[in-house]
């Protein structure tokens, strides 16, 4: 995709670490890779889930608003993540805030484009769970966490939205942009031991 | 480390939460009518029981909602957690 106009000028929060993240990749049975998925569109939706406006927003999104912590719903390239009992984050590849804002109308609630608030790190590979377990207080074992689950928690000292997308396992971590540099370096450091033989 | 069950997110480590002091402290009906002593009592004076204590906590790195926790101050045991719109289990204090 050729960027034109103002988007050609933007730089992502982790652009300066791209080479280091690529160099940190580990292949093989203990493999793990890290990369940034920059410039995903994110829309924060707040609305009473029992209201008529919530129903209209669900129609506009093409997916129900998940009602429980950890649940996500998807519709095409769009995913809705649960943030709170009346708060969601809609992730997508294109700018879709207008449709939800129109669906909300004048009713109580808010639809705000927060794309610049966070960036997205993708951590993938057989060792990805072990890398995260060095600093995440959640139980990430498949019996309690799996694909399609997304929760707000911490990795190291950084608050992130942690979303597992497949069984590889692949995780997406969404830290605030200003914490992304620290988190990126933290993960690169946590990945380094998997490049060598396992020490028992 | 306490394991606190957020009413919305389930059990999480204490490090995910922020402490908010004693719960169920009613704001005065008419603050401008209070004497300085009464205002000081509202702002600064809190119970300090040995045993069950209702306190406010906020799930800072999770859903960012405030809720109440009934905690035993002598044993640190978290007896129960409940939402702000629910009454304190086992009577008021």
């Amino acid at each position: 995709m050729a960027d034109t106009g103002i988007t050609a000028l933007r730089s992502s929060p982790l652009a300066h670490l791209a080479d280091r993240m690529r160099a940190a990749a580990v292949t093989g049975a203990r493999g793990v890779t890290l990369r940034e998925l920059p410039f995903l569109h994110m829309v924060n939706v707040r609305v009473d889930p029992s209201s008529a406006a919530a129903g209209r927003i669900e129609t506009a999104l093409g997916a129900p608003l998940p009602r429980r912590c950890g649940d996500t719903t998807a519709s095409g390239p769009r995913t809705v993540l649960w943030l709170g009992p009346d708060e969601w984050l809609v992730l997508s590849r294109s700018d879709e805030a207008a449709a939800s804002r129109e669906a909300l109308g004048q009713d109580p609630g808010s639809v705000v484009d927060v794309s610049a608030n966070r960036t997205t790190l993708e951590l993938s590979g057989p060792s990805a769970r072990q890398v995260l377990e060095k600093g995440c207080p959640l139980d990430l074992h498949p019996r309690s966490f799996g694909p399609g689950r997304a929760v707000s928690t911490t990795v190291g000292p950084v608050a992130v939205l942690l979303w597992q997308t497949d069984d590889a396992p692949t995780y997406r971590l969404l830290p605030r942009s200003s914490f992304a540099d620290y988190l990126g370096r933290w993960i690169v450091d946590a990945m380094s031991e998997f490049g060598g033989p396992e020490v028992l | 480390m306490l394991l606190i069950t957020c009413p919305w997110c389930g059990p999480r480590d204490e490090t995910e939460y922020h402490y908010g002091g004693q719960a169920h402290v009613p704001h005065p009906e008419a603050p401008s009518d209070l004497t300085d002593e009464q205002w000081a009592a509202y702002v600064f004076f809190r119970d300090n029981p040995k045993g069950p204590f209702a306190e406010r906590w906020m799930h800072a790195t999770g859903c960012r909602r405030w809720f109440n926790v009934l905690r035993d101050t002598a044993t640190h045991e978290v007896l129960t957690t409940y939402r702000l719109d629910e009454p304190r289990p086992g009577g008021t204090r």
Side-chain angles (χ1 to χ4, degrees):
Chain A
M1 190 177 69
D3 280 338
T4 54
I6 195 89
T7 57
L9 298 173
R10 62 187 178 175
S11 68
S12 71
L14 287 176
H16 63 295
L17 280 185
D19 290 339
R20 291 183 62 162
M21 292 194 291
R22 204 168 16 250
V26 178
T27 54
R30 303 178 76 210
V32 58
T33 58
L34 178 68
R35 65 182 176 128
E36 185 192 17
L37 301 175
F39 309 129
L40 291 187
H41 286 273
M42 306 182 193
V43 178
N44 182 289
V45 175
R46 295 203 64 171
V47 66
D48 178 351
S50 61
S51 66
R56 292 198 302 273
I57 290 173
E58 288 176 331
T59 306
L61 292 173
L65 298 168
R67 296 298 202 270
R68 282 184 310 154
C69 176
D71 286 357
T72 64
T73 56
S75 161
R78 189 181 311 130
T79 307
V80 187
L81 276 54
W82 187 96
L83 287 185
D86 60 358
E87 187 172 7
W88 296 269
L89 190 68
V90 182
L91 303 177
S92 62
R93 290 281 180 186
S94 55
D95 187 3
E96 297 173 337
S100 298
R101 194 175 297 126
E102 205 169 288
L104 178 66
Q106 296 301 310
D107 287 4
S110 68
V111 176
V112 181
D113 189 314
V114 292
S115 303
N117 181 219
R118 301 168 185 266
T119 189
T120 307
L121 281 156
E122 189 171 76
L123 183 71
S124 184
S127 297
R129 177 155 68 91
Q130 280 175 282
V131 170
L132 286 182
E133 280 171 345
K134 292 185 180 189
C136 180
L138 273 189
D139 183 4
L140 299 176
H141 191 277
R143 73 178 156 245
S144 60
F145 201 78
R149 306 278 297 163
V151 294
S152 302
T153 184
T154 52
V155 171
V158 180
V160 300
L161 189 54
L162 179 66
W163 172 28
Q164 185 172 349
T165 53
D166 68 32
D167 271 325
T170 301
Y171 299 93
R172 288 186 184 176
L173 296 88
L174 289 80
R176 308 253 188 245
S177 293
S178 52
F179 289 91
D181 174 78
Y182 182 92
L183 182 68
R185 293 172 193 271
W186 189 95
I187 296 175
V188 164
D189 178 58
M191 286 163 67
S192 62
E193 75 159 83
F194 296 95
E198 190 167 8
V199 178
L200 297 172
Chain B
M1 174 85 74
L2 298 177
L3 186 65
I4 300 172
T5 302
C6 169
W8 287 278
C9 302
R12 300 287 184 90
D13 282 357
E14 176 189 355
T15 49
E16 294 202 359
Y17 297 93
H18 188 82
Y19 184 67
Q22 182 178 355
H24 308 300
V25 179
H27 192 266
E29 293 275 344
S32 55
D33 295 345
L34 297 188
T35 64
D36 285 353
E37 284 75 18
Q38 288 170 319
W39 183 249
Y42 163 69
V43 173
F44 300 114
F45 284 63
R46 293 291 180 264
D47 296 339
N48 186 22
K50 181 179 182 183
F53 185 47
E55 53 200 14
R56 297 179 302 172
W57 286 78
M58 194 262 283
H59 194 183
T61 63
C63 60
R64 298 185 294 144
R65 266 33 177 203
W66 286 95
F67 60 97
N68 293 333
V69 173
L70 196 62
R71 181 177 63 94
D72 190 310
T73 56
T75 64
H76 268 323
E77 183 186 359
V78 175
L79 302 169
T80 186
T81 60
Y82 54 103
R83 288 158 39 160
L84 293 182
D85 56 359
E86 295 172 333
R88 172 179 161 153
T92 57
R93 180 185 151 92

